[in-house]
Amino acid sequence: MLRDVTFGQYYNATSFVHKMDSRVKILLSVVYMVGVFFVHSYVGFAWLTCFLMIAIGASQVPLKSIFKSLRGILFLLLFSAVLNVFFVKEGTLLVEWWIFKIHDQGLIDAGKLMLRLTLLVCGASLLTLTTTPVDLTHAIERLLKPLSWIGIPVHIAALIMSLTLSFIPSIIEETDRIIRAQKARSADFDTGGLIKRAKAFVPILIPLIISSIRRAEELAFAMNSRCYEGSKKHTQMKVMRMGWRDLVGSLITVVFFAAIFTLYAFADNAWLGANLPWLLF
Amino acid sequence: MNVIEVQNASYEYKTYNDDGTTGTLVAVDDVSFEIKKGSFVALVGHNGSGKSTLAKMLNGLHKPKKGQVLVNGLSTAVQSNIFEIRKNVGMVFQNPDNQMVASIVEEDVAFGPENLAIPQPEIVQRVAWALEQVNMSQYAKRSPHKLSGGQKQRIAIAGALAIKPQVLVLDESTAMLDPQGRKEVLAVAKKLNADGMTVVLITHFMEEVLDADNVIVMKRGKIVAQGTPMEIFSQQSLVEDAFLRVPRTVELAQRLSQAGWSVDASCTDAKALGGQLCQLLQKN
């Protein structure tokens, strides 16, 4: 049962976005996320949605998989929307009932917040859906390389991350095995109150921790045997190359976000406010 | 010429008793032997005989408390020698899952060369070469977790080979495998030895030592016998005394010949023995 859990949410395909350099993808995602926070008009949101749709289209990831990632933040979405609806005290009063007052600005803010969070999460999940955890680790290591010049052990951090990734399947398997072994010894995980159930997990956790420590020791032996010496000079086999896809992707992103930042810069422009109010809202 | 020389080496573990006191457990006790270049050495012993501890002393994972271990004349006790020693002594351990550092086969094999700071194009060559040696080239881009135990262990061997060592130490590398996986790993070890690699095989399966040039039998941290497989097998009481068992084929041949049948007592091959038995049956 636990074995079916796959780590990360990589969607296997060979699309335009999948083939882009993962470093570029991370950087573009950062630009996108910053952009999401700069947008304040509905035109801007439409513009962002348009960009996201193009990106999703180019990634061949089905919309369903993208929206799946929203389930995790559903509660957060609703909670923050409700807060906005009831506690924003600007604009015209629409409804007043007992202690609740709903203003039109509250509704607008709630709508924008929900849109913003949705766009943010969809964008982030597009990155993880089209990039394997291994590639992400490699990309983060290369991108953070400048930090190693000031003595931050980026390589070690990246190695820890990649080791964690490669050991997750083994540890899940181990957990599964321990659960079955304890069940065979008539351990009971499914009945009783919350505390009793929590206590029932102790016989799983302790063997799991012990075996993980043993694993770590064996791994350390294996790594040392293969000439690993921490921060010593090392090279990398994996070469990351940027191609035409990265150029095209970056160009499209730059065009879209240049528009958003321009819109943001002219938010207080009197002429635009007078002649094209819908653009600024 | 000797690649490895172990001279009066001892190693002890600190033990923690239930009553809070500590004690020492001597795992390797005043052991001396040499490993010749290009030879196939088998180190056998029962659980707790110290064979695995001894294996870890060959590349400086454990440093001798007394005596010394020399690899190409360099002592493992000197920290500045360690890198050079590990470049020459590759090691593969028991549990294939606990030796994988990456979630893609070729990246795992590249770990050693990367640590040696070898230029990127040569790493690619070495990884391809190492995977070819263990016949796993077609799995280069796969995740090791979906492979069988024998395949994982062959990848671990490739990971050691990519460092281009002179000696390959297999520290109970077959212990957790099914018979098929054991066969695969042994075949690779024999092939590498035929190509000139010095192989040290640590095991408690006596069937695996039949092709060794030199068998070292350990019991309670000491070497109790050393010699060719047949020399060892002919001393059955000694083997049993070390809590080991002579391979079935050998045992059968020995017993039959002891009982007066004209069977070659030094026969190690089941098929050859079968042939001899058939001839005997036809005669009688």
Side-chain angles (χ1 to χ4, degrees), chain B residues 11-17 21-27 65-66:
Chain B
Y11 189 84
E12 52 195 37
Y13 288 106
K14 205 171 178 184
T15 55
Y16 297 88
N17 303 326
T21 57
T22 58
T24 52
L25 173 82
V26 181
K65 297 275 149 90
K66 283 183 213 128

Side-chain angles (χ1 to χ4, degrees), chain B residues 19 32 97 110 140 145 148 173 198 211 243 251 253:
Chain B
D19 55 7
S32 302
D97 287 321
H145 294 282
S148 74
S173 307
T198 312
D211 295 317
F243 313 110
E251 192 180 351

Side-chain angles (χ1 to χ4, degrees), chain A residues 136-160:
Chain A
L136 274 181
T137 316
H138 280 301
I140 291 170
E141 181 180 359
R142 310 279 163 111
L143 287 174
L144 296 182
K145 188 117 197 249
L147 287 179
S148 64
W149 300 333
I150 55 165
I152 294 170
V154 177
H155 171 62
I156 293 177
L159 185 70
I160 291 171

Side-chain angles (χ1 to χ4, degrees), chain B residues 198-211:
Chain B
T198 312
V199 175
V200 182
L201 178 77
I202 287 101
T203 184
H204 60 263
F205 296 115
M206 294 298 270
E207 287 80 5
E208 296 179 358
V209 310
L210 284 170
D211 295 317

Side-chain angles (χ1 to χ4, degrees), chain A residues 30-232:
Chain A
V30 171
V31 171
Y32 171 83
M33 282 169 196
V34 172
V36 169
F37 282 104
F38 271 83
V39 166
H40 55 283
S41 69
Y42 288 119
V43 175
F45 278 118
W47 190 240
L48 264 182
T49 314
C50 181
F51 172 77
L52 188 66
M53 285 304 156
I54 291 175
I56 292 172
S59 72
Q60 292 172 4
V61 177
L63 273 178
K64 211 175 84 186
S65 314
I66 305 256
F67 287 134
K68 241 192 228 168
S69 55
L70 280 177
R71 266 190 308 199
I73 61 148
L74 199 64
F75 176 75
L76 183 76
L77 266 181
L78 292 176
F79 184 71
S80 46
V82 168
L83 278 187
N84 265 291
V85 167
F86 291 113
F87 290 98
V88 173
K89 303 258 186 279
E90 285 165 40
T92 49
L93 189 68
L94 296 176
V95 185
E96 186 169 8
W97 178 72
W98 191 34
I99 54 166
F100 299 110
K101 287 176 187 153
I102 297 177
H103 297 75
D104 64 346
Q105 191 62 39
L107 286 178
I108 291 169
D109 283 1
K112 281 185 179 174
L113 188 76
M114 281 173 73
L115 261 175
R116 191 164 298 190
L117 285 174
T118 308
L119 285 169
L120 206 60
V121 171
C122 289
S125 60
L126 188 64
L127 175 68
T128 51
L129 279 163
T130 58
T131 320
T132 60
V134 179
D135 281 343
L136 274 181
T137 316
H138 280 301
I140 291 170
E141 181 180 359
R142 310 279 163 111
L143 287 174
L144 296 182
K145 188 117 197 249
L147 287 179
S148 64
W149 300 333
I150 55 165
I152 294 170
V154 177
H155 171 62
I156 293 177
L159 185 70
I160 291 171
M161 217 166 122
S162 106
L163 282 176
T164 311
L165 287 176
S166 66
F167 271 80
I168 283 171
S170 311
I171 293 192
I172 287 175
E173 234 175 77
E174 178 92 34
T175 315
D176 205 15
R177 194 158 46 226
I178 293 170
I179 289 177
R180 273 186 275 127
Q182 301 292 34
K183 271 189 180 161
R185 294 179 178 82
S186 67
D188 180 12
F189 304 115
D190 307 318
T191 58
L194 195 65
I195 292 172
K196 190 169 172 260
R197 280 199 205 186
K199 271 188 184 162
F201 277 92
V202 172
I204 296 174
L205 278 180
I206 289 175
L208 191 64
I209 291 169
I210 292 173
S211 87
S212 299
I213 291 172
R214 288 217 179 106
R215 248 175 226 283
E217 196 194 9
E218 276 182 40
L219 179 67
F221 276 140
M223 285 168 68
N224 279 334
S225 297
R226 286 159 78 182
C227 301
Y228 179 71
E229 301 214 327
S231 51
K232 214 169 174 284

